[in-house]
């Protein structure tokens, strides 16, 4: 059984993952409207990944005999001034998610819930990757500046990204 504090925190994390999905879907739509289909593709895959993150937490709460409570998803912005702006927001957002995962880990430790702590290990590594991806793209867009050809080439590169099911879902856990 999950303690009430852990169950509440996991439900808040499920909501945060869905909010992340919502945020990246908005960024994808904004890029599509701005005629940058590759960036739109990159954010659409982020959107899919965040839904998968929520699903991993949902599966875990169910497996532990807890109750999933789906709360309202808060509104997200609809427009970004430039691709660099969206990736800067992405990094800032992922840093907040990292802090949430760390807090959840600390809570699991204080509650002696070692199964939850173990489950969170995958997310701790995943957040390192999320922050690194955003930083790399911030660097690239900063380097390019307003160069149209550079933006075109990078858009093409981001258009090649494909979705891969996160390991905890792919392995059926
Ligand atoms: Mg996530």
């Amino acid at each position: 059984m999950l303690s009430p504090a852990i169950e509440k925190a996991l439900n808040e994390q499920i909501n945060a993952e869905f909010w992340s999905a919502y945020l990246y879907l908005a960024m994808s739509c904004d890029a599509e409207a701005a005629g940058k289909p590759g960036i739109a593709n990159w954010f659409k895959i982020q959107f899919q990944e965040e839904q998968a993150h929520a699903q991993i937490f949902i599966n875990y709460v169910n497996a532990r005999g807890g109750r999933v409570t789906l709360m309202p998803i808060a509104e997200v912005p609809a427009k970004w001034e430039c691709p660099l702006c969206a990736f800067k927001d992405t990094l800032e957002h992922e840093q907040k998610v990292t802090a949430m995962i760390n807090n959840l880990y600390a809570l699991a430790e204080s509650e002696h819930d070692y199964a939850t702590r173990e489950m969170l290990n995958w997310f701790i590594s995943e957040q390192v990757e999320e922050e690194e991806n955003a930083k790399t793209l911030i660097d690239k867009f900063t380097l390019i500046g307003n160069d149209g050809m550079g933006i075109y080439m990078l858009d093409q590169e981001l258009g090649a990204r494909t979705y891969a099911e996160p390991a905890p879902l792919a392995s059926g856990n």
Side-chain angles (χ1 to χ4, degrees), residues 109-168:
E109 284 203 320
S110 72
E111 298 264 326
H112 304 287
D113 185 342
Y114 302 112
T116 297
R117 193 184 71 172
E118 177 64 25
M119 186 272 296
L120 289 168
N121 281 330
W122 182 84
F123 282 96
I124 285 171
S125 306
E126 174 69 9
Q127 283 311 118
V128 173
E129 205 180 296
E130 295 279 25
E131 288 189 29
E132 189 190 4
N133 288 344
K135 272 186 202 133
T136 301
L137 288 167
I138 286 169
D139 288 345
K140 287 185 178 179
F141 278 103
T142 301
L143 199 61
I144 288 167
N146 287 324
D147 175 51
M149 180 57 87
I151 292 170
Y152 174 77
M153 300 283 284
L154 190 47
D155 188 68
Q156 295 268 312
E157 184 186 315
L158 299 186
R161 185 184 188 195
T162 55
Y163 176 70
E165 190 131 78

Side-chain angles (χ1 to χ4, degrees), residues 27-92:
M27 287 178 174
S28 177
C29 292
D30 184 50
E32 195 71 56
K36 298 184 177 70
I39 296 172
N41 173 67
W42 196 90
F43 280 118
K44 192 175 159 201
I45 288 162
Q46 278 300 101
F47 161 64
Q48 290 174 291
E49 279 194 359
E50 298 305 335
Q51 290 176 90
H53 293 169
Q55 189 65 61
I56 294 165
F57 281 110
I58 288 169
N59 290 352
Y60 179 75
V61 171
N62 286 335
R64 293 288 307 278
R67 292 295 301 206
V68 171
T69 308
L70 297 175
M71 294 171 283
I73 303 166
E75 190 175 2
V76 293
K79 195 160 171 40
W80 284 265
E81 289 308 312
C82 61
L84 178 60
C85 309
F87 286 104
K88 279 183 175 170
D89 277 5
T90 297
L91 178 59
E92 198 180 306

